RNA sequence: GUGAUUGUAGCUCAGCUGGUUAGAGCGCUGGUUUGUGGCACCAGAGGUCGCCGGUUCGAACCCGGUCUUUCACCCCA
């Protein structure tokens, strides 16, 4: 017999973890619904043609491919093998596990475009898979909770995303965090202004590391990536402004004055904030970050990222606007904006911050205990009465000693035990024992029931 | 994908320079207690030392490979 094990980067979730995860999930779901999003699900596997080419070369590497059923080698000949893995892959695998929820959603929108009412607001909570190397807060199977709107350019959506993030975090009890927001157009503008148009990708990858490795190292990296020296020196006022982070928007207005697209990005950002103010909301936790760069292969407008302070976990939520996501599936002119919560990371953050309160409100309230066969059948009868009254209750199923039954209850965190014996049978009562305090009193069944139902 | 790192009882970990029968704490099972858990005391069960191979008279310990854990890079939730 071999010891069983799990694939790298995957985990089981026990009862305690599930109770906590459900708490997070319910908080998120509740918020999505409050803002008018409708739930959908899509299959774990998609055609590889749907997935490949959407996440950049790196992303394609991280896709899990599913071997064809049956004789998966039947289309492969020796030529394919000599040309290597890339040539052979399409002949042995035509399906893959989803890498995120956004691309399957785009596919769904395109396939159902005639049935959907636009703007279409959907949320989706399902696992995704990445063949990444596991690390702290990084798994190969993890859940994403996406909410997206397609079919509108309105910046109200961006404002609502910020509001949803704040509502969820408030519900979870996470207080010290930042919602960083930027706009792809600002990044494009920056590249334009320093004379390196179109190179915002490598520019951002480098600048993003500012607080990690410092300006000097970033300069080296930019040089390595082929940026001209005078471009780099034009960048330095932006870097010092980013460090001070006082009034990034007013800085950008002068820095980007020569770039029309850059100025448009600034205006969009301002408009999001104005909309929030019209809604009577403040800007707490919101932080414009002009070097924030994520999802450059498809974001075209706003870019979001949420970071919880004082913890070692990376971002717990992210998103942005993509003008043409459905374009790759043949439906053009549909703008979308969305974001995603990483439940697994939120869990890790809450654990690190000790935010889980241990009252397991879903657990059993009452265990019925007994001494012998006669009281066992009495307890079974009483058990039914409790359950009919809606009290979460159970009985130790094997006839066992009192010690064992009480042990079971206290280990499972059941707060009350109803002890049944000869005296109780005679008087139609149970001895209700509080396992925390050790107090015990004899009460009629109806009295016990009304105590439990009154609490709820 | 690159570079490190970890693996000994259910859990957390000792185990010296390669040398008899691999240990502790917690947990588990039973008992002290046939109408009462937690506390205490007593007894007991439990290990192919991740796996495969090599060196050696002899390997938990040294070497190679492999899997796993954790971490950095890349990228990302």
């Amino acid at each position: 017999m071999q010891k069983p094990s799990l694939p790298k980067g995957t985990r089981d979730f026990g009862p305690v973890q599930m109770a906590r995860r459900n708490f997070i999930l319910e908080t998120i779901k509740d918020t999505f619904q409050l803002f008018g999003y409708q739930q959908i699900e899509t299959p774990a596997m998609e055609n590889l043609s749907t997935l490949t080419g959407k996440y950049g070369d790196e992303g394609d590497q991280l896709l899990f491919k599913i071997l064809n059923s049956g004789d998966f080698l039947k289309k492969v000949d020796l030529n394919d093998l000599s040309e290597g893995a890339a040539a052979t892959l399409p002949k042995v695998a035509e399906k893959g596990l989803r890498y995120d929820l956004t691309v399957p959603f785009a596919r769904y929108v395109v396939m159902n475009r005639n049935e959907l009412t636009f703007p279409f607001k959907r949320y989706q909570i399902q696992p995704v898979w990445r063949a990444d190397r596991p690390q702290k807060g990084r798994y190969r199977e993890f859940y994403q909770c996406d909410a997206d709107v397609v079919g509108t350019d309105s910046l109200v959506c961006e404002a609502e995303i910020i509001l949803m993030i704040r509502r969820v975090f408030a519900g979870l009890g996470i207080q010290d965090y930042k919602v960083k927001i930027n706009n792809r157009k600002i990044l494009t503008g920056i590249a334009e202004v320093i004379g390196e148009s179109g190179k915002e990708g490598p520019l951002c990858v480098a600048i993003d590391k500012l607080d990690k490795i410092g300006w000097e190292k970033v300069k080296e990296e930019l040089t390595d990536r082929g940026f001209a020296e005078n471009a780099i020196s034009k960048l330095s006022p932006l870097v010092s402004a980013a460090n001070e982070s006082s009034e990034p928007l007013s800085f950008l207005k002068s820095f980007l004055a020569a770039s029309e697209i850059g100025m448009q990005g600034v205006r969009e950002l301002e408009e999001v904030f104005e909309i929030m103010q019209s809604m009577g909301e403040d800007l707490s936790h919101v932080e414009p970050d002009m070097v924030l760069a994520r999802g450059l292969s498809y974001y075209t407008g706003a870019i979001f990222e949420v970071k919880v302070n004082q913890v070692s976990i990376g971002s717990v939520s992210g998103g942005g606007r993509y003008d043409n996501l459905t374009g790759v599936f043949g439906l053009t002119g549909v703008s979308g904006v969305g974001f995603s919560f990483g439940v697994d990371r939120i869990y890790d953050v809450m654990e690190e911050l000790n935010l889980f309160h241990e009252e397991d409100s879903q657990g059993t309230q009452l265990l019925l205990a007994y001494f012998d066969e006669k009281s066992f059948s009495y307890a079974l009868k009483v058990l039914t009465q409790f359950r009919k009254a809606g009290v979460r209750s159970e009985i130790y199923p094997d006839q066992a000693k009192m010690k064992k039954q009480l042990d079971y209850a206290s280990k499972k965190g059941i707060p009350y035990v109803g002890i049944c014996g000869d005296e109780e049978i005679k008087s139609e009562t149970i001895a209700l024992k509080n396992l925390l305090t050790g107090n015990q009193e004899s009460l009629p069944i109806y009295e016990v029931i009304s105590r439990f139902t009154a609490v709820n």
Side-chain angles (χ1 to χ4, degrees), chain A residues 22 79 120 133 184 253 265 286 315 330 398:
Chain A
N22 282 334
N79 278 341
F120 180 55
R133 195 176 283 209
R184 170 59 181 272
K253 277 185 199 165
V286 180
S315 67
D398 300 302

Side-chain angles (χ1 to χ4, degrees), chain A residues 386-402:
Chain A
F386 277 116
R387 286 185 177 158
K388 281 189 174 154
V391 180
R392 292 188 301 275
S393 44
E394 60 178 305
I395 190 166
Y396 195 85
D398 300 302
Q399 296 212 17
K401 290 182 183 169
M402 186 55 56

Side-chain angles (χ1 to χ4, degrees), chain A residues 238-285:
Chain A
L238 179 125
V239 169
S240 33
N243 282 336
E244 289 156 23
S245 77
S246 45
E247 279 293 327
L249 289 187
S250 54
F251 168 81
L252 283 173
K253 277 185 199 165
S254 59
F255 188 80
L256 293 174
S259 163
E260 196 183 322
I261 189 156
M263 291 304 282
Q264 195 189 330
V266 176
R267 275 197 302 278
E268 284 183 13
L269 224 48
E270 282 181 321
E271 204 179 320
V272 170
F273 298 154
E274 281 161 20
I275 290 168
M276 287 180 66
Q277 267 143 25
S278 307
M279 291 170 136
E281 296 279 354
D282 61 22
L283 292 178
S284 56
H285 295 110

Side-chain angles (χ1 to χ4, degrees), chain A residues 202-260:
Chain A
L203 174 70
C204 293
V205 169
I207 291 195
D208 198 43
K209 299 179 192 162
L210 243 188
D211 46 350
K212 215 186 225 175
I213 61 177
W215 175 225
E216 290 304 316
K217 293 267 179 188
V218 170
K219 277 202 271 196
E220 279 173 34
E221 187 162 340
L222 285 171
T223 311
D224 290 347
R225 287 172 186 269
F227 281 77
E229 205 163 312
N230 74 322
I232 296 176
S233 59
K234 279 183 192 165
L235 207 54
S236 68
L238 179 125
V239 169
S240 33
N243 282 336
E244 289 156 23
S245 77
S246 45
E247 279 293 327
L249 289 187
S250 54
F251 168 81
L252 283 173
K253 277 185 199 165
S254 59
F255 188 80
L256 293 174
S259 163
E260 196 183 322

Side-chain angles (χ1 to χ4, degrees), chain A residues 38 44 85 115 120 127 159 165 167 177 201 238 276 362 436 442 445:
Chain A
Q38 296 174 294
E115 281 73 44
F120 180 55
I165 291 171
R167 184 176 189 275
Y177 68 93
L238 179 125
M276 287 180 66
Q362 301 306 305
L436 273 181
S442 262
I445 311 294

Side-chain angles (χ1 to χ4, degrees), chain A residues 46-251:
Chain A
E46 293 277 351
N47 291 324
L48 229 30
S49 57
T50 302
L51 299 173
T52 46
K54 310 297 187 298
Y55 309 105
D57 293 338
E58 295 263 358
D60 287 353
Q61 296 296 314
L62 298 178
L63 285 173
F64 275 106
K65 291 95 181 172
I66 297 174
L67 212 48
N68 290 339
S69 311
D71 180 9
F72 51 83
L73 284 178
K74 69 183 168 206
K75 294 182 196 159
V76 178
D77 57 41
L78 287 172
N79 278 341
D80 298 321
L81 289 176
S82 63
E83 279 171 40
T88 313
L89 177 67
K91 302 200 170 180
V92 298
E94 53 191 25
K95 298 178 291 299
L97 294 176
R98 72 166 98 79
Y99 176 91
D100 69 0
L101 300 178
T102 310
V103 165
F105 174 54
R107 191 222 78 221
Y108 174 88
V109 169
V110 173
M111 287 179 67
N112 295 279
R113 60 181 113 177
N114 295 321
E115 281 73 44
L116 297 174
T117 309
F118 292 98
F120 180 55
K121 306 172 81 169
R122 77 84 230 231
Y123 76 92
Q124 187 170 354
I125 299 178
Q126 290 189 274
V128 303
W129 294 270
R130 296 182 188 180
D132 212 347
R133 195 176 283 209
Q135 237 180 85
K136 189 179 191 75
R138 175 179 294 190
Y139 308 99
R140 298 181 111 181
E141 176 185 64
F142 60 97
Y143 272 70
Q144 285 193 332
C145 307
D146 271 38
D148 293 77
V149 191
V150 290
T152 171
D153 293 329
S154 168
L155 294 169
V156 171
C157 304
E158 274 84 341
E160 287 192 344
I161 285 175
I162 295 172
L163 297 180
M164 286 192 280
I165 291 171
R166 292 204 305 211
R167 184 176 189 275
V168 165
F169 278 51
L172 297 176
I174 301 174
Q175 281 159 354
D176 190 10
Y177 68 93
K178 288 189 288 218
V179 180
K180 294 199 269 185
I181 178 170
N182 194 14
N183 195 296
R184 170 59 181 272
K185 298 186 176 88
I186 291 176
L187 296 171
T188 306
I190 293 172
E192 226 171 271
V193 164
I194 65 167
E196 297 279 1
S197 289
K199 288 171 81 171
E200 63 258 42
L203 174 70
C204 293
V205 169
I207 291 195
D208 198 43
K209 299 179 192 162
L210 243 188
D211 46 350
K212 215 186 225 175
I213 61 177
W215 175 225
E216 290 304 316
K217 293 267 179 188
V218 170
K219 277 202 271 196
E220 279 173 34
E221 187 162 340
L222 285 171
T223 311
D224 290 347
R225 287 172 186 269
F227 281 77
E229 205 163 312
N230 74 322
I232 296 176
S233 59
K234 279 183 192 165
L235 207 54
S236 68
L238 179 125
V239 169
S240 33
N243 282 336
E244 289 156 23
S245 77
S246 45
E247 279 293 327
L249 289 187
S250 54
F251 168 81

Side-chain angles (χ1 to χ4, degrees), chain A residues 285-420:
Chain A
H285 295 110
V286 180
E287 194 175 294
D289 179 348
M290 51 200 176
V291 295
L292 171 66
R294 277 306 106 102
L296 292 173
S297 51
Y298 46 93
Y299 288 148
T300 53
I303 300 173
F304 300 100
E305 180 169 297
V306 182
K307 174 83 180 76
V308 179
N309 299 323
Q310 317 294 332
V311 293
S312 55
I313 317 282
S315 67
V316 294
S317 176
R321 177 171 288 278
Y322 37 85
D323 276 339
N324 202 19
L325 193 68
T326 55
V328 292
F329 299 121
L331 179 63
T332 53
V334 178
S335 181
V337 61
F339 76 114
S340 175
F341 287 110
V343 193
D344 305 82
R345 283 192 177 176
I346 291 177
Y347 185 103
D348 292 343
V349 163
M350 289 180 67
E351 191 163 55
E352 200 167 321
L353 294 175
N354 243 311
L355 290 176
F356 290 112
H357 34 283
E358 279 324 330
E359 32 147 322
D360 176 10
S361 56
Q362 301 306 305
T364 306
Q365 299 163 288
L366 174 71
L367 176 87
L368 289 170
Y370 47 83
F371 292 103
D372 50 27
E373 202 154 332
K374 207 168 125 203
S375 49
F376 179 60
S377 74
Y378 174 71
L380 284 174
K381 194 182 83 188
V382 173
L383 176 66
T384 302
Q385 295 178 46
F386 277 116
R387 286 185 177 158
K388 281 189 174 154
V391 180
R392 292 188 301 275
S393 44
E394 60 178 305
I395 190 166
Y396 195 85
D398 300 302
Q399 296 212 17
K401 290 182 183 169
M402 186 55 56
K403 176 179 162 63
K404 190 146 193 171
Q405 301 180 56
L406 291 172
D407 250 353
Y408 172 78
S410 63
K411 276 179 190 152
K412 200 171 166 182
I414 300 174
Y416 289 94
V417 174
I419 296 170
C420 306

